């Protein structure tokens, strides 16, 4: 059922055109079983799509007030609210990437702040806020460039992810995101220092953005697609479009 339809277009880096839609329906049963291998993205047949579709599960984590939910909503709906509404429960968003005629589904899981990364599957599923956290294909860890404690939170969660992830998934991509770039004058850690630490020492991707002004939001998700192994996404001049509905009876917000 369609609740609303609102087109939004944006120009990505180097002239890439992005079209963002989200699907207002629950994922099909079995689309993302925690027990499946995580080395490569799962592939499912989309009815009516005419081909195989890769599905990537992405977890978004961060301390309270860093703007992680604002980043997701800016990306999907091209909107930003000055009112900070704390995330108290896990939220699932279902956009998809249509690139050069090929579809790549995304399942974006926006988690509330967690005290610690679950050390095993039992702990993961015992806490409703952590369900599915250990079985994703990539992590986006968001911090506020004006808050040192939020960076320490990201540092701790990253280390816990490396220490407790499922065996065989140690190469799960992690992207560190410094939000609120529009408040550059209040930065607590020099950008070069953070970038060097994240890229050279942690071996993670690093992006700074502003959810408020929609700055580098597209770049963030472009880097995400590259990191999860979407081969076609690695072409510099590839035409990327985000779509969430291939049939008229599927609700989408563009």
């Amino acid at each position: 059922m369609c609740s609303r339809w609102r087109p939004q277009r944006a120009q990505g880096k180097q002239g890439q055109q992005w079209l963002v839609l989200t699907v207002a329906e629950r994922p099909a049963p079995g689309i993302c079983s925690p027990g499946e291998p995580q080395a490569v993205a799962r592939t499912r047949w989309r009815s009516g799509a005419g081909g195989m579709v890769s599905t990537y599960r992405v977890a978004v984590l961060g301390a309270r007030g860093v703007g992680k939910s604002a980043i997701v909503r800016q990306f999907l709906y091209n909107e930003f609210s000055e009112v900070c509404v704390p995330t108290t429960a896990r939220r699932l968003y279902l956009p998809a990437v249509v690139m050069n005629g090929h579809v790549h589904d995304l399942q974006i899981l926006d988690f509330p702040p967690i005290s610690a990364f679950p050390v095993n599957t039992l702990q993961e599923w015992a806490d409703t806020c952590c369900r599915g956290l250990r079985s994703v294909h990539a992590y986006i860890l968001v911090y506020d460039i004006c808050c040192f404690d939020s960076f320490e939170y990201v540092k701790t969660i990253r280390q816990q992810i490396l220490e407790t992830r499922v065996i065989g998934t140690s190469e799960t991509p992690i992207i560190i995101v410094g939000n609120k770039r529009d408040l550059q004058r209040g930065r607590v850690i020099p950008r070069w220092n953070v970038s060097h630490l994240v890229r050279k020492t942690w071996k993670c991707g690093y992006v700074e953005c502003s959810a408020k002004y929609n700055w580098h939001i597209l770049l963030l998700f472009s880097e995400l697609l590259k990191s999860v192994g979407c081969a076609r996404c690695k072409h510099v001049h590839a035409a990327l479009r985000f779509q969430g509905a291939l049939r008229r009876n599927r609700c989408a917000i563009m």
Side-chain angles (χ1 to χ4, degrees):
M1 297 296 294
C2 185
S3 59
R4 56 176 176 163
W5 173 267
R6 179 173 57 190
Q8 299 289 349
R9 295 180 181 272
Q11 287 289 331
K13 189 176 181 181
Q14 296 178 337
Q16 294 174 343
Q17 291 188 349
W18 299 69
L19 194 61
V20 183
L21 298 88
T22 53
V23 183
E25 67 175 57
R26 298 194 178 193
I31 196 172
C32 46
S33 171
E36 291 183 346
Q38 303 295 319
V40 295
R42 305 178 189 88
T43 307
R44 292 288 182 266
W45 180 268
R46 183 198 291 272
S47 175
M52 302 301 290
V53 180
S54 300
T55 299
Y56 301 102
R57 288 170 56 85
V58 181
V60 184
L61 294 166
R64 184 182 298 274
V66 298
K68 57 184 179 58
S69 298
I71 290 174
V72 175
R73 296 194 63 83
Q74 181 65 267
F75 172 63
L76 297 177
Y77 308 127
N78 195 24
E79 66 180 25
F80 176 82
S81 174
E82 295 284 355
V83 179
C84 179
V85 180
T87 303
T88 57
R90 185 188 64 169
R91 297 172 182 171
L92 173 64
Y93 301 90
L94 303 173
V97 179
V98 179
M99 181 185 57
N100 298 333
H102 299 275
V103 182
H104 305 278
D105 279 335
L106 288 181
Q107 297 178 4
I108 303 176
L109 292 159
D110 181 10
F111 288 89
I114 58 176
S115 57
F117 192 84
V119 298
N120 52 45
T121 303
L122 179 62
Q123 184 178 1
E124 172 190 13
W125 289 90
D127 186 349
T128 57
C129 291
C130 294
R131 290 179 182 176
L133 188 54
R134 290 171 53 84
S135 58
V136 299
H137 298 101
Y139 294 92
I140 296 176
L141 305 185
V142 184
Y143 78 98
D144 178 353
I145 66 171
C146 301
C147 178
F148 181 79
D149 289 342
S150 67
F151 182 77
E152 288 295 303
Y153 177 90
V154 163
K155 181 179 179 181
T156 300
I157 293 297
R158 170 197 164 271
Q159 187 60 36
Q160 292 175 352
I161 291 174
L162 297 180
E163 294 174 351
T164 63
R165 271 284 298 201
V166 181
I167 296 175
T169 59
S170 58
E171 296 184 357
T172 301
I174 299 176
I175 297 182
I176 309 299
V177 179
N179 190 29
K180 304 187 181 181
R181 180 63 186 273
D182 50 290
L183 303 178
Q184 168 73 11
R185 294 184 178 180
R187 179 190 294 274
V188 294
I189 309 176
R191 182 182 185 279
W192 187 91
N193 292 2
V194 178
S195 178
H196 186 270
L197 172 66
V198 172
R199 297 179 186 275
K200 301 298 183 180
T201 305
W202 294 359
K203 306 299 182 183
C204 297
Y206 182 68
V207 176
E208 289 196 353
C209 67
S210 170
K212 181 176 182 179
Y213 292 105
N214 199 10
W215 186 77
H216 276 186
I217 301 298
L218 298 181
L219 174 63
L220 164 59
F221 284 90
S222 175
E223 292 298 316
L224 170 69
L225 290 172
K226 293 177 184 178
S227 69
V228 294
C230 178
R232 300 184 186 92
C233 299
K234 296 182 180 181
H235 296 293
V236 176
H237 299 290
L240 302 181
R241 292 191 306 154
F242 275 71
Q243 288 190 342
L246 298 182
R247 302 189 303 274
R248 291 186 59 187
N249 63 343
R250 298 185 68 181
C251 176
I253 304 172
M254 179 167 58

